[in-house]
């Protein structure tokens, strides 16, 4: 099993302390967390893309390019690239450049994105968002694979023998499809034989498990080898401590603050108590053995081979956050790596073929 740490770069007051960091300091914190997860031995680091408050993750390519310059080993993920909002040609240019700068460490997770404000900002409607997402991905993946592209597009000017530069480093880049509630993203992933990444953060396990089962059914419907399926899954929170009592005590202020926030803004509350949240959500809050057991329970339903944790402290102290991630890596990850297989593809950077050289003609 592989492990990622992901941030959506939420920028609001600390849920427990109430302090709002400056935008500059929040970005510095993101970079420091990326360095931390590489130091601790995680396999990847991801940055979301949102175009509305309280997020400042509108430019994941810029953030990941900076992280690429400071790291050497971890794969770099988007979580997610909102292709329903983007021009696929411009998105390709940005990500192909990032792929070169990271020397083949880039993975994309794509999706239509969430949020009414960002949809309105880009003049995308609920009725056309899935069609936009599918069209953008079709064009994006063709540009990555073909030197010239012709496409009769609906949502951007048509392409006729279009050449888009730079040409990519990875041929092609690996694209995961982010899935939260809709079968459209699941079917798009299965149709192209692409891996799936379940959000798995808001609800109990059942709706996510149903979508993953549907993905597997559609995968076989499209004639793909079941042995090539790869599924990733998110988590609703993380705090690993030597004992369950210590974990619950440290996480309780975070849960209670988040619960109060949901109620204040009128969002639906799924878990009314911390104990219910720890028991029925995907949050990994507890002792190392409790966390191992929960991941196994989810794996029985999902068959996932990649797991993401929160890269941000999200209300616990920086010391608690680091101690939690260190304990996860020392006491949880080794067992899960042994018990659960890796995804069925190479995780290391993809090395391009050496350039073709031509013999120079002798001078006259």
């Amino acid at each position: 099993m592989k492990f990622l740490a992901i941030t959506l770069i939420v920028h609001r007051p600390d849920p427990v302390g109430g302090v709002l960091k400056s935008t500059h300091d929040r970005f510095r914190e993101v970079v420091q967390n990326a360095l931390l997860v590489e130091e601790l031995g995680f396999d990847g680091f991801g940055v979301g893309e949102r175009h509305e408050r309280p997020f400042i993750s509108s430019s994941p390519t810029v953030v990941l390019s900076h992280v690429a310059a400071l790291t050497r080993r971890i794969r770099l993920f988007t979580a997610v690239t909102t292709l329903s909002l983007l021009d696929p040609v411009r998105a390709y240019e940005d990500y192909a450049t990032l792929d070169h700068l990271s020397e083949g460490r880039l993975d994309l997770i794509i999706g239509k994105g969430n949020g009414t404000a960002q949809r309105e900002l880009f003049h995308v409607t609920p009725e056309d968002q899935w069609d936009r997402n599918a069209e953008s991905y079709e064009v994006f993946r063709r540009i990555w694979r073909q030197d010239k592209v012709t496409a009769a597009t609906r949502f951007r000017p048509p392409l006729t023998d279009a050449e888009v530069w730079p040409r990519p480093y990875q041929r092609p880049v690996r694209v995961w499809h982010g899935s939260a509630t809709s079968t459209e993203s699941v079917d798009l992933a299965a149709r192209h034989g692409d891996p799936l990444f379940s959000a798995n953060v808001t609800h109990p396990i059942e709706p996510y498990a149903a979508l993953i089962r549907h993905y597997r059914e559609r995968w076989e419907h499209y004639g793909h080898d079941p042995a090539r399926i790869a599924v990733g899954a998110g988590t609703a929170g993380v705090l690993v401590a030597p004992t369950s009592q210590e974990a619950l005590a440290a996480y309780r202020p975070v849960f209670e603050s988040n619960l109060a926030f949901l109620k204040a803004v009128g969002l639906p509350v799924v878990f009314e108590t911390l104990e219910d949240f720890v028991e029925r959500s995907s949050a990994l809050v507890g002792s190392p053995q409790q966390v191992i057991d929960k991941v196994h329970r989810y794996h029985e339903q999902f068959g996932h081979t990649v797991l993401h944790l929160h890269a941000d402290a999200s209300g616990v102290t920086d010391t608690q956050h680091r101690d939690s991630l260190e304990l996860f890596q020392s006491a949880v990850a080794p067992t899960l790596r042994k018990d659960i297989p890796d995804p069925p593809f190479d995780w290391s950077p993809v090395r391009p073929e050496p350039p073709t050289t031509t013999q120079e003609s002798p001078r006259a």
Side-chain angles (χ1 to χ4, degrees):
M1 181 170 246
K2 300 294 187 183
F3 303 101
L4 318 178
I6 284 179
T7 177
L8 300 181
I9 321 187
V10 177
H11 189 224
R12 66 182 181 93
D14 180 87
V16 176
V19 175
L20 177 65
K21 294 181 178 180
S22 70
T23 299
H24 178 73
D25 286 346
R26 185 68 181 97
F27 279 125
R28 284 175 59 87
E29 182 179 51
V30 168
V31 173
Q32 291 304 311
N33 284 337
L35 298 177
L36 174 63
V37 300
E38 177 163 85
E39 174 193 334
L40 295 180
F42 280 79
D43 303 294
F45 179 79
V47 174
E49 179 182 344
R50 297 291 288 267
H51 299 269
E52 60 184 342
R53 71 170 64 197
F55 307 93
I56 52 173
S57 51
S58 57
S59 298
T61 49
V62 177
V63 177
L64 288 173
S65 291
H66 187 62
V67 171
L70 299 175
T71 58
R72 292 293 176 266
R73 182 187 54 80
I74 51 173
R75 291 198 70 83
L76 306 174
F77 281 72
T78 62
V80 300
T81 295
T82 52
L83 278 182
S84 66
L85 310 180
L86 305 178
D87 182 324
V89 175
R90 190 70 185 93
Y92 165 83
E93 291 172 336
D94 284 343
Y95 283 109
T97 301
L98 172 56
D99 194 34
H100 279 280
L101 294 175
S102 67
E103 297 189 326
R105 289 188 284 145
L106 175 65
D107 274 50
L108 292 174
I109 306 175
I110 68 162
K112 71 168 181 60
N114 295 312
T116 301
Q118 69 175 8
R119 193 172 60 232
E120 292 175 349
L121 183 65
F122 288 89
H123 294 273
V124 174
T125 69
E127 293 74 27
D128 69 18
Q129 60 186 348
W130 285 110
D131 289 340
R132 286 177 178 271
N133 185 65
E135 178 183 287
S136 288
Y137 180 53
E138 298 285 352
V139 174
F140 182 91
R141 76 189 308 273
R142 286 181 59 193
I143 294 173
W144 208 285
R145 289 164 171 79
Q146 301 172 17
D147 291 337
K148 293 185 178 181
V149 172
T150 296
T153 49
R154 290 173 54 200
F155 300 108
R156 61 145 288 127
L159 300 172
T160 303
D161 286 335
E163 295 182 288
V164 188
W165 298 91
R167 298 313 300 149
Y169 189 94
Q170 296 184 81
R171 295 178 180 265
V173 71
R174 184 161 48 242
V175 176
W176 304 68
H177 294 248
S179 166
T181 59
S182 175
T183 57
E184 281 90 343
S185 56
V186 167
D187 189 80
L188 187 63
R191 187 189 322 158
H192 289 295
D194 293 331
L196 183 74
F197 217 107
S198 173
N200 190 40
V201 296
T202 306
H203 301 285
I205 193 172
E206 290 80 9
Y208 304 113
L211 276 176
I212 292 171
R213 287 194 297 270
H214 182 68
Y215 168 66
R216 293 179 181 276
E217 292 167 3
R218 298 306 292 169
W219 179 280
E220 294 197 31
H221 168 80
Y222 287 115
H224 303 303
D225 180 0
R228 301 299 300 170
I229 283 179
V231 174
T235 54
V238 59
L239 200 148
V240 189
T243 68
S244 60
Q245 292 83 1
E246 291 173 276
L248 288 172
Y251 203 80
R252 190 173 299 279
V254 178
F255 174 81
E256 291 177 349
S257 176
N258 288 335
L259 179 64
F261 174 78
L262 292 176
K263 291 180 176 180
V265 299
L267 292 174
V269 174
V270 179
F271 307 102
E272 290 279 359
T273 67
L274 173 61
E275 288 71 19
D276 187 38
F277 177 70
V278 171
E279 175 62 28
R280 295 196 304 121
S281 83
S282 61
L284 302 179
V285 178
S287 67
Q289 190 58 53
Q290 287 175 311
V291 170
I292 290 169
D293 291 343
K294 174 173 268 193
V295 174
H296 273 294
R297 290 200 305 273
Y298 271 75
H299 179 70
E300 289 173 2
Q301 295 286 322
F302 292 174
H304 60 309
T305 54
V306 179
L307 181 71
H308 92 52
L309 308 179
H310 289 208
D312 300 312
S314 303
V316 301
T317 68
D318 290 342
T319 298
Q320 288 172 322
H321 180 55
R322 184 183 181 108
D323 288 348
S324 172
L325 294 182
E326 286 181 341
L327 190 56
F328 181 91
Q329 280 296 88
S330 64
V332 175
T335 298
L336 295 178
R337 290 187 193 278
K338 176 173 62 73
D339 294 347
I340 298 175
D342 285 343
F345 41 70
D346 190 5
W347 196 264
S348 58
V350 177
R351 302 300 180 191
E353 296 178 1
T356 302
T357 59
T358 57
Q359 177 110 20
E360 288 189 4
S361 299
R363 291 176 181 263

